[in-house]
Amino acid sequence: MRAAQALYVSQPAVTRSVHELEELIGMALFVRGPRGVLPTAAGEILIERARSALGSLRRASEQIEEVRHGGPRPLRVGTNLAGAYALLPQAVVAIKRTHPEISVSVVEGTAEVLATSLQRSEIDLLVGRLDPGTYRGALHHIRLYDEAVRAVVRRGHPALSVTPRLADLLSYPWILPLQPSTLRTELDEMFATAGLKAPRDITECSTLLTSREIVLQTDSIAPLPMLIGVRDDLLDMLPLHLDTVPRAIGITLPADRSVSREARVLVDALTETARLLAAELRSATRKHAKPQISGSADQA
């Protein structure tokens, strides 16, 4: 009934259209259950493709309107913590110097949510931590550099004055990524591998400004990209290994459609910015190289 109302057609017309699609495909698309009509596996695939097609049409309509009114074509970029702190901001500053006419809209979110937005043409590209296993669909990944995740705390944190075991750190509050996310899964596995339960005092957060402010005002520990701990004079890093956490930083693009000229300009700027950040990370890694706490059970 709701589908018919949304399409401004009768319910029999919707039912007839669904039956015609099922006959064309040769599979059932929907089944009736205790909670109403639900999509089958084939129905889920069709719905996702339809959303992607609608997103492309909506994007094309917006771009045509902007061309009609003489405005710039907006470039929509999705990013997460790994891309939002240094890589993307520096690249945007660079293209604004040479291409001030390019309009950039930045959306922050988890990799899973942003990947869905990319498939639906709601954003043009993703910038941040790469984990191809997280993404579904036709996507192309460009690896730019590696950046470790480190346990970041405020300067003067009591754990910095000693060399604690991982188990000792569970007495402090932790700021962890939202579930579901690859980083959160990796951190949970780190505790489990060490034979430890997850910290009891947890704040779930995936935005940098909120995480940083909580870290500065408390004794919280936040697993964050290394550059955040290196560049912020009010923050420091615990000597804690997070070896299992994926470290590749890069760009994710749609593989089944071409990108705009503006997107290509940003990709070039990101590539050059990444070259400079990689050199900074190599220097910081050497500077901060020291005995570290391992997440393994023999060290915990």
Side-chain angles (χ1 to χ4, degrees), residues 82-151:
Y85 183 72
L87 177 58
L88 181 58
Q90 289 181 211
V92 169
V93 169
I95 68 170
K96 281 294 185 178
R97 291 196 186 105
T98 56
H99 298 80
E101 77 284 357
I102 294 180
S103 176
V104 181
S105 176
V106 178
V107 179
E108 289 193 44
T110 63
E112 292 80 0
V113 171
L114 292 173
T116 299
S117 295
L118 182 61
Q119 291 171 327
R120 295 177 181 176
S121 298
E122 295 169 353
I123 55 178
D124 297 298
L125 67 158
L126 302 182
V127 179
R129 193 167 302 280
L130 297 180
D131 180 20
T134 300
Y135 306 135
R136 298 175 300 167
L139 299 174
H140 173 57
H141 305 282
I142 303 174
R143 185 170 182 160
L144 297 177
Y145 61 91
D146 288 348
E147 180 179 6
V149 172
R150 297 292 300 271

Side-chain angles (χ1 to χ4, degrees), residues 185-230:
T185 299
E186 293 285 349
L187 292 168
D188 289 343
E189 289 177 354
M190 178 189 73
F191 292 117
T193 300
L196 302 170
K197 294 182 178 180
R200 296 179 60 185
D201 188 348
I202 291 176
T203 300
E204 292 188 334
C205 182
S206 294
T207 61
L208 175 57
L209 289 177
T210 302
S211 297
R212 180 180 183 274
E213 194 61 28
I214 295 175
V215 167
L216 290 177
Q217 295 189 31
T218 68
D219 287 338
S220 294
I221 299 171
L224 295 170
M226 183 176 181
L227 277 178
I228 296 176
V230 169

Side-chain angles (χ1 to χ4, degrees), residues 131-192:
D131 180 20
T134 300
Y135 306 135
R136 298 175 300 167
L139 299 174
H140 173 57
H141 305 282
I142 303 174
R143 185 170 182 160
L144 297 177
Y145 61 91
D146 288 348
E147 180 179 6
V149 172
R150 297 292 300 271
V152 176
V153 296
R154 63 175 176 83
R155 285 287 170 91
H157 191 285
L160 291 168
S161 60
V162 295
T163 305
R165 299 173 304 164
L166 179 60
D168 299 329
L169 298 177
L170 298 183
S171 62
Y172 295 104
W174 282 69
I175 303 175
L176 298 178
L178 300 175
Q179 293 180 325
S181 67
T182 301
L183 180 55
R184 179 61 179 273
T185 299
E186 293 285 349
L187 292 168
D188 289 343
E189 289 177 354
M190 178 189 73
F191 292 117

